[in-house]
Amino acid sequence: MRDHYTITELTREFDISTRTIRFYEDEGLISPIRRGRTRLFRQSDRQLLKMILRGKRLGFSIAEIREIMGMYRTPPGEAGQLRAIIRRVAEKRAELEQKRRDIDDLLSELDQAEEACLTRMAELGISPTS
């Protein structure tokens, strides 16, 4: 394990832009060491970046990620953080399940509309491929 990483190394490792890393820095989610204009990221910054990106993939907002990360540093600590994550995951799961139901309903409506069109075209003697 290394002591420090450059912004370029992290962008390559996580396949993100330097702008993304700077945004997370501006949001106070990571705090690299500065040596002149150079940013040096500690192993802890790398882990935080990994957690931030995982949170984004799970659909959490920056505010939600900040809240969860803040819990780790202050009471209720890791236990509170884990409970918050479980609660947020359940909320995201419910949102996604609702979206899946909505998509299934829309697909069903599209199938019905297509079937009605095909039926009417057959009644009129129209080929569906012309």
Side-chain angles (χ1 to χ4, degrees):
M1 207 168 4
R2 300 175 40 198
D3 289 338
H4 295 96
Y5 300 85
T6 66
I7 195 167
T8 302
E9 290 170 328
L10 293 178
T11 60
R12 287 182 183 146
E13 178 180 354
F14 295 109
D15 194 27
I16 56 175
S17 67
T18 56
R19 175 181 249 164
T20 298
I21 292 176
R22 288 188 196 112
F23 173 75
Y24 295 144
E25 183 182 354
D26 291 344
E27 289 293 317
L29 297 175
I30 54 176
S31 304
I33 299 167
R34 289 191 175 263
R35 294 213 178 117
R37 293 181 45 98
T38 303
R39 291 173 173 85
L40 294 176
F41 296 86
R42 297 170 293 263
Q43 180 63 28
S44 60
D45 294 313
R46 184 180 165 278
Q47 291 298 350
L48 287 171
L49 184 56
K50 194 175 192 177
M51 289 172 39
I52 293 164
L53 295 172
R54 181 178 296 138
K56 291 301 291 176
R57 275 193 312 276
L58 292 172
F60 293 126
S61 69
I62 293 296
E64 290 169 323
I65 291 169
R66 182 182 296 108
E67 177 187 349
I68 291 167
M69 289 172 61
M71 286 180 188
Y72 189 76
R73 297 182 188 113
T74 60
E78 188 174 6
Q81 182 188 41
L82 294 171
R83 286 186 193 101
I85 291 170
I86 289 170
R87 186 177 62 252
R88 299 288 175 143
V89 165
E91 291 169 1
K92 292 295 176 190
R93 179 177 285 119
E95 288 174 22
L96 289 171
E97 287 171 350
Q98 181 59 53
K99 286 179 182 180
R100 182 186 326 191
R101 286 189 297 273
D102 292 344
I103 289 170
D104 288 343
D105 290 346
L106 288 171
L107 288 171
S108 178
E109 289 178 28
L110 289 172
D111 289 343
Q112 291 171 11
E114 181 181 41
E115 185 60 38
C117 289
L118 290 171
T119 299
R120 183 64 182 143
M121 290 175 81
E123 292 170 356
L124 297 172
I126 302 171
S127 171
T129 57
S130 322

mmCIF file of all heavy atoms in Angstrom, residues 96-120:
data_model
loop_
_atom_site.group_PDB
_atom_site.id
_atom_site.type_symbol
_atom_site.label_atom_id
_atom_site.label_comp_id
_atom_site.label_asym_id
_atom_site.label_seq_id
_atom_site.Cartn_x
_atom_site.Cartn_y
_atom_site.Cartn_z
ATOM 1 N N LEU A 96 -36.474 2.307 -6.754
ATOM 2 C CA LEU A 96 -36.163 1.544 -7.964
ATOM 3 C C LEU A 96 -37.246 0.513 -8.268
ATOM 4 O O LEU A 96 -37.594 0.299 -9.436
ATOM 5 C CB LEU A 96 -34.803 0.862 -7.829
ATOM 6 C CG LEU A 96 -33.607 1.810 -7.881
ATOM 7 C CD1 LEU A 96 -32.330 1.065 -7.528
ATOM 8 C CD2 LEU A 96 -33.492 2.472 -9.240
ATOM 9 N N GLU A 97 -37.781 -0.116 -7.230
ATOM 10 C CA GLU A 97 -38.860 -1.086 -7.457
ATOM 11 C C GLU A 97 -40.095 -0.397 -8.030
ATOM 12 O O GLU A 97 -40.759 -0.940 -8.911
ATOM 13 C CB GLU A 97 -39.176 -1.831 -6.162
ATOM 14 C CG GLU A 97 -38.098 -2.840 -5.789
ATOM 15 C CD GLU A 97 -38.272 -3.450 -4.413
ATOM 16 O OE1 GLU A 97 -39.125 -2.974 -3.619
ATOM 17 O OE2 GLU A 97 -37.528 -4.401 -4.107
ATOM 18 N N GLN A 98 -40.382 0.832 -7.557
ATOM 19 C CA GLN A 98 -41.508 1.589 -8.112
ATOM 20 C C GLN A 98 -41.235 1.945 -9.571
ATOM 21 O O GLN A 98 -42.115 1.817 -10.424
ATOM 22 C CB GLN A 98 -41.772 2.863 -7.305
ATOM 23 C CG GLN A 98 -42.940 3.679 -7.831
ATOM 24 C CD GLN A 98 -44.244 2.899 -7.836
ATOM 25 O OE1 GLN A 98 -44.647 2.344 -6.829
ATOM 26 N NE2 GLN A 98 -44.908 2.837 -8.986
ATOM 27 N N LYS A 99 -40.008 2.352 -9.866
ATOM 28 C CA LYS A 99 -39.659 2.665 -11.250
ATOM 29 C C LYS A 99 -39.791 1.427 -12.134
ATOM 30 O O LYS A 99 -40.243 1.520 -13.270
ATOM 31 C CB LYS A 99 -38.236 3.221 -11.331
ATOM 32 C CG LYS A 99 -38.127 4.636 -10.823
ATOM 33 C CD LYS A 99 -36.711 5.145 -10.904
ATOM 34 C CE LYS A 99 -36.617 6.549 -10.337
ATOM 35 N NZ LYS A 99 -35.246 7.075 -10.409
ATOM 36 N N ARG A 100 -39.397 0.261 -11.605
ATOM 37 C CA ARG A 100 -39.524 -0.980 -12.367
ATOM 38 C C ARG A 100 -40.995 -1.273 -12.651
ATOM 39 O O ARG A 100 -41.346 -1.645 -13.772
ATOM 40 C CB ARG A 100 -38.900 -2.154 -11.604
ATOM 41 C CG ARG A 100 -38.969 -3.443 -12.397
ATOM 42 C CD ARG A 100 -38.515 -4.665 -11.656
ATOM 43 N NE ARG A 100 -37.450 -4.409 -10.722
ATOM 44 C CZ ARG A 100 -36.751 -5.339 -10.110
ATOM 45 N NH1 ARG A 100 -37.000 -6.603 -10.329
ATOM 46 N NH2 ARG A 100 -35.814 -5.047 -9.257
ATOM 47 N N ARG A 101 -41.863 -1.074 -11.654
ATOM 48 C CA ARG A 101 -43.299 -1.288 -11.879
ATOM 49 C C ARG A 101 -43.826 -0.317 -12.929
ATOM 50 O O ARG A 101 -44.602 -0.693 -13.803
ATOM 51 C CB ARG A 101 -44.069 -1.146 -10.562
ATOM 52 C CG ARG A 101 -43.894 -2.328 -9.610
ATOM 53 C CD ARG A 101 -44.841 -2.265 -8.410
ATOM 54 N NE ARG A 101 -44.606 -1.105 -7.561
ATOM 55 C CZ ARG A 101 -43.719 -1.055 -6.561
ATOM 56 N NH1 ARG A 101 -42.979 -2.102 -6.280
ATOM 57 N NH2 ARG A 101 -43.595 0.037 -5.836
ATOM 58 N N ASP A 102 -43.380 0.943 -12.844
ATOM 59 C CA ASP A 102 -43.810 1.946 -13.827
ATOM 60 C C ASP A 102 -43.362 1.560 -15.232
ATOM 61 O O ASP A 102 -44.130 1.673 -16.192
ATOM 62 C CB ASP A 102 -43.255 3.330 -13.466
ATOM 63 C CG ASP A 102 -43.861 3.897 -12.188
ATOM 64 O OD1 ASP A 102 -44.914 3.394 -11.738
ATOM 65 O OD2 ASP A 102 -43.264 4.843 -11.634
ATOM 66 N N ILE A 103 -42.128 1.098 -15.362
ATOM 67 C CA ILE A 103 -41.617 0.679 -16.670
ATOM 68 C C ILE A 103 -42.388 -0.527 -17.182
ATOM 69 O O ILE A 103 -42.766 -0.571 -18.361
ATOM 70 C CB ILE A 103 -40.100 0.378 -16.592
ATOM 71 C CG1 ILE A 103 -39.321 1.678 -16.427
ATOM 72 C CG2 ILE A 103 -39.623 -0.383 -17.837
ATOM 73 C CD1 ILE A 103 -37.855 1.492 -16.093
ATOM 74 N N ASP A 104 -42.659 -1.507 -16.323
ATOM 75 C CA ASP A 104 -43.442 -2.674 -16.725
ATOM 76 C C ASP A 104 -44.828 -2.259 -17.212
ATOM 77 O O ASP A 104 -45.316 -2.775 -18.223
ATOM 78 C CB ASP A 104 -43.556 -3.678 -15.576
ATOM 79 C CG ASP A 104 -42.256 -4.400 -15.291
ATOM 80 O OD1 ASP A 104 -41.351 -4.394 -16.154
ATOM 81 O OD2 ASP A 104 -42.138 -4.975 -14.183
ATOM 82 N N ASP A 105 -45.454 -1.309 -16.510
ATOM 83 C CA ASP A 105 -46.770 -0.820 -16.922
ATOM 84 C C ASP A 105 -46.702 -0.141 -18.289
ATOM 85 O O ASP A 105 -47.555 -0.366 -19.154
ATOM 86 C CB ASP A 105 -47.341 0.168 -15.892
ATOM 87 C CG ASP A 105 -47.748 -0.501 -14.586
ATOM 88 O OD1 ASP A 105 -47.838 -1.755 -14.543
ATOM 89 O OD2 ASP A 105 -47.963 0.240 -13.600
ATOM 90 N N LEU A 106 -45.675 0.683 -18.475
ATOM 91 C CA LEU A 106 -45.520 1.370 -19.766
ATOM 92 C C LEU A 106 -45.260 0.386 -20.894
ATOM 93 O O LEU A 106 -45.815 0.530 -21.998
ATOM 94 C CB LEU A 106 -44.388 2.394 -19.688
ATOM 95 C CG LEU A 106 -44.684 3.646 -18.862
ATOM 96 C CD1 LEU A 106 -43.419 4.470 -18.688
ATOM 97 C CD2 LEU A 106 -45.772 4.478 -19.514
ATOM 98 N N LEU A 107 -44.428 -0.609 -20.646
ATOM 99 C CA LEU A 107 -44.172 -1.631 -21.672
ATOM 100 C C LEU A 107 -45.445 -2.380 -22.023
ATOM 101 O O LEU A 107 -45.694 -2.676 -23.198
ATOM 102 C CB LEU A 107 -43.083 -2.597 -21.199
ATOM 103 C CG LEU A 107 -41.663 -2.031 -21.172
ATOM 104 C CD1 LEU A 107 -40.711 -3.001 -20.472
ATOM 105 C CD2 LEU A 107 -41.182 -1.725 -22.578
ATOM 106 N N SER A 108 -46.247 -2.664 -21.035
ATOM 107 C CA SER A 108 -47.517 -3.351 -21.277
ATOM 108 C C SER A 108 -48.440 -2.475 -22.136
ATOM 109 O O SER A 108 -49.082 -2.955 -23.072
ATOM 110 C CB SER A 108 -48.188 -3.687 -19.946
ATOM 111 O OG SER A 108 -49.428 -4.296 -20.160
ATOM 112 N N GLU A 109 -48.484 -1.181 -21.822
ATOM 113 C CA GLU A 109 -49.315 -0.267 -22.613
ATOM 114 C C GLU A 109 -48.811 -0.178 -24.051
ATOM 115 O O GLU A 109 -49.612 -0.132 -24.995
ATOM 116 C CB GLU A 109 -49.332 1.117 -21.969
ATOM 117 C CG GLU A 109 -50.135 1.163 -20.672
ATOM 118 C CD GLU A 109 -50.101 2.534 -20.011
ATOM 119 O OE1 GLU A 109 -49.944 3.546 -20.736
ATOM 120 O OE2 GLU A 109 -50.220 2.587 -18.780
ATOM 121 N N LEU A 110 -47.485 -0.157 -24.221
ATOM 122 C CA LEU A 110 -46.925 -0.135 -25.575
ATOM 123 C C LEU A 110 -47.274 -1.410 -26.327
ATOM 124 O O LEU A 110 -47.613 -1.363 -27.524
ATOM 125 C CB LEU A 110 -45.406 0.056 -25.521
ATOM 126 C CG LEU A 110 -44.907 1.433 -25.104
ATOM 127 C CD1 LEU A 110 -43.393 1.413 -24.904
ATOM 128 C CD2 LEU A 110 -45.299 2.486 -26.140
ATOM 129 N N ASP A 111 -47.198 -2.562 -25.653
ATOM 130 C CA ASP A 111 -47.575 -3.835 -26.279
ATOM 131 C C ASP A 111 -49.034 -3.800 -26.729
ATOM 132 O O ASP A 111 -49.360 -4.237 -27.838
ATOM 133 C CB ASP A 111 -47.361 -5.003 -25.313
ATOM 134 C CG ASP A 111 -45.898 -5.316 -25.061
ATOM 135 O OD1 ASP A 111 -45.036 -4.868 -25.846
ATOM 136 O OD2 ASP A 111 -45.617 -6.008 -24.057
ATOM 137 N N GLN A 112 -49.902 -3.259 -25.877
ATOM 138 C CA GLN A 112 -51.319 -3.181 -26.212
ATOM 139 C C GLN A 112 -51.554 -2.253 -27.408
ATOM 140 O O GLN A 112 -52.343 -2.563 -28.305
ATOM 141 C CB GLN A 112 -52.129 -2.705 -25.009
ATOM 142 C CG GLN A 112 -52.190 -3.712 -23.876
ATOM 143 C CD GLN A 112 -52.808 -3.124 -22.615
ATOM 144 O OE1 GLN A 112 -53.377 -2.035 -22.622
ATOM 145 N NE2 GLN A 112 -52.687 -3.866 -21.515
ATOM 146 N N ALA A 113 -50.863 -1.115 -27.421
ATOM 147 C CA ALA A 113 -51.020 -0.166 -28.531
ATOM 148 C C ALA A 113 -50.521 -0.794 -29.828
ATOM 149 O O ALA A 113 -51.172 -0.675 -30.879
ATOM 150 C CB ALA A 113 -50.251 1.125 -28.229
ATOM 151 N N GLU A 114 -49.379 -1.482 -29.747
ATOM 152 C CA GLU A 114 -48.837 -2.136 -30.939
ATOM 153 C C GLU A 114 -49.788 -3.217 -31.433
ATOM 154 O O GLU A 114 -50.060 -3.323 -32.637
ATOM 155 C CB GLU A 114 -47.467 -2.742 -30.617
ATOM 156 C CG GLU A 114 -46.823 -3.424 -31.802
ATOM 157 C CD GLU A 114 -45.479 -4.031 -31.436
ATOM 158 O OE1 GLU A 114 -45.352 -4.611 -30.334
ATOM 159 O OE2 GLU A 114 -44.559 -3.916 -32.267
ATOM 160 N N GLU A 115 -50.314 -4.001 -30.529
ATOM 161 C CA GLU A 115 -51.240 -5.083 -30.905
ATOM 162 C C GLU A 115 -52.505 -4.508 -31.551
ATOM 163 O O GLU A 115 -52.998 -5.036 -32.549
ATOM 164 C CB GLU A 115 -51.597 -5.922 -29.677
ATOM 165 C CG GLU A 115 -52.444 -7.135 -29.983
ATOM 166 C CD GLU A 115 -51.765 -8.104 -30.953
ATOM 167 O OE1 GLU A 115 -50.541 -8.300 -30.863
ATOM 168 O OE2 GLU A 115 -52.479 -8.674 -31.805
ATOM 169 N N ALA A 116 -53.024 -3.404 -30.989
ATOM 170 C CA ALA A 116 -54.212 -2.771 -31.568
ATOM 171 C C ALA A 116 -53.926 -2.277 -32.981
ATOM 172 O O ALA A 116 -54.754 -2.441 -33.890
ATOM 173 C CB ALA A 116 -54.677 -1.618 -30.679
ATOM 174 N N CYS A 117 -52.748 -1.702 -33.172
ATOM 175 C CA CYS A 117 -52.373 -1.224 -34.515
ATOM 176 C C CYS A 117 -52.253 -2.394 -35.494
ATOM 177 O O CYS A 117 -52.741 -2.317 -36.633
ATOM 178 C CB CYS A 117 -51.057 -0.448 -34.465
ATOM 179 S SG CYS A 117 -51.188 1.156 -33.654
ATOM 180 N N LEU A 118 -51.594 -3.460 -35.062
ATOM 181 C CA LEU A 118 -51.422 -4.625 -35.939
ATOM 182 C C LEU A 118 -52.769 -5.259 -36.288
ATOM 183 O O LEU A 118 -52.997 -5.661 -37.435
ATOM 184 C CB LEU A 118 -50.492 -5.642 -35.279
ATOM 185 C CG LEU A 118 -49.014 -5.229 -35.173
ATOM 186 C CD1 LEU A 118 -48.246 -6.215 -34.303
ATOM 187 C CD2 LEU A 118 -48.388 -5.098 -36.551
ATOM 188 N N THR A 119 -53.659 -5.323 -35.315
ATOM 189 C CA THR A 119 -54.992 -5.875 -35.556
ATOM 190 C C THR A 119 -55.746 -5.025 -36.583
ATOM 191 O O THR A 119 -56.336 -5.549 -37.526
ATOM 192 C CB THR A 119 -55.789 -5.956 -34.236
ATOM 193 O OG1 THR A 119 -55.102 -6.807 -33.335
ATOM 194 C CG2 THR A 119 -57.203 -6.468 -34.462
ATOM 195 N N ARG A 120 -55.719 -3.704 -36.393
ATOM 196 C CA ARG A 120 -56.425 -2.817 -37.315
ATOM 197 C C ARG A 120 -55.808 -2.891 -38.711
ATOM 198 O O ARG A 120 -56.531 -2.879 -39.721
ATOM 199 C CB ARG A 120 -56.398 -1.379 -36.782
ATOM 200 C CG ARG A 120 -57.159 -0.416 -37.637
ATOM 201 C CD ARG A 120 -58.653 -0.739 -37.682
ATOM 202 N NE ARG A 120 -59.321 0.192 -38.548
ATOM 203 C CZ ARG A 120 -60.332 -0.119 -39.359
ATOM 204 N NH1 ARG A 120 -60.785 -1.351 -39.402
ATOM 205 N NH2 ARG A 120 -60.869 0.799 -40.122
#
